[in-house]
Amino acid sequence: MEEKKKHSLLIVDDEKTYLMELTKILSPEYEIYAAKNGADAIQTALELSPDVILLDIVLPDMDGYEVIYYLKSDERTHDIPVIFVSGLTEVDDEERGLHLGAADYITKPFSPGIVKLRVLNQINMVEQLRRIEQLSMTDQLTGLPNRRSFDERLNAEWRQASREKKPISILIIDVDEFKNYNDTFGHQQGDRALQALALAFDKAPKRPVDFVARWGGEEFIVLLPLTDYDGSLEVAEQIRRNIEELVIPGSSGPESKITVSIGLNTWRPGDEFTLDKFISGADTALYNAKDKGRNKIWHFI
């Protein structure tokens, strides 16, 4: 069984004694990164994205208040919980740290047990938030990413394709005559058909960068970065054929089959496409595939 990856902590303290003590306390349970000044702390947080940061206030180059200000101002580090671990024991010091967005405040000298529990509290909250985020990005019926998840991925891949002048393709896939299917076999069987269709995507050629999502209803969408027209047509045909050959078992009734129509669009360097036109072009191509008899692939011209 694969060993579970440890959560990571960034400890920021210029005093070697405290840095070593915190490392000794926490290293059995966590992957430890260390920084001795504010600039290194910010850079390490950006590069390694630790799960939690333990931050001293008194540092040689900038104080911990400045560090947390920078961390909370950058979207890449904004959500990392920061626990101040400081020798400043005045209420005003703690209040200022919490006001700037710290998740907790531990005073030196500290109890190892308290440090472990405070860190564990933050790790548990991080895990809970990640589970909630994952649920919000997943279609509950099929287990595929949902439209929100796809929109985020599409925006990132579109920017990269535009920046690097690389082709990118998109497929919009719609189940043919799905209303009739539901009317014939029932909505529960319709759900089974969508679940079976989602599993069929795994049988098509797929790279780590390719992304499949449920677009809504009986529509699915596939993003193919670094893929030209020929490559996307090959993937689309494999998907269409896999689904055409798919046999969907009934819970107590007969087996059934479905087909899909696919609209395809490819952006190439030099094309005057906006992102909206990129999607609407595939949607137009899908309409044409339906209009030409269904169970077909159509490319936007």
Side-chain angles (χ1 to χ4, degrees), residues 157-175:
E157 294 290 356
W158 178 261
R159 287 194 300 269
Q160 183 170 342
S162 300
R163 184 171 59 250
E164 297 181 0
K165 307 300 182 187
K166 302 289 187 181
I168 182 171
S169 294
I170 194 171
L171 313 176
I172 298 182
I173 301 163
D174 187 78
V175 180

Side-chain angles (χ1 to χ4, degrees), residues 59-124:
L59 297 169
D61 54 344
M62 63 177 78
D63 63 35
Y65 299 130
E66 292 177 89
V67 175
I68 195 172
Y69 174 81
Y70 281 109
L71 294 173
K72 295 302 177 183
S73 298
D74 193 312
E75 62 178 12
R76 294 169 292 179
T77 54
H78 178 272
D79 295 328
I80 301 174
V82 176
I83 301 174
F84 275 120
V85 184
S86 175
L88 302 180
T89 59
E90 297 295 326
V91 172
D92 288 348
D93 298 316
E94 182 174 352
E95 185 176 318
R96 184 180 178 191
L98 296 173
H99 180 73
L100 287 168
D104 208 340
Y105 195 102
I106 301 172
T107 56
K108 299 175 181 177
F110 44 73
S111 159
I114 291 296
V115 170
K116 288 180 179 180
L117 287 172
R118 297 282 181 89
V119 170
L120 181 60
N121 284 342
Q122 295 306 316
I123 291 294
N124 287 338

Side-chain angles (χ1 to χ4, degrees), residues 23-52:
T23 299
K24 182 180 179 180
I25 293 168
L26 297 165
S27 60
E29 300 295 329
Y30 305 102
E31 182 79 22
I32 304 296
Y33 309 125
K36 294 182 178 180
N37 59 63
D40 287 349
I42 293 168
Q43 187 62 33
T44 303
L46 288 169
E47 291 178 358
L48 301 177
S49 298
D51 294 302
V52 176

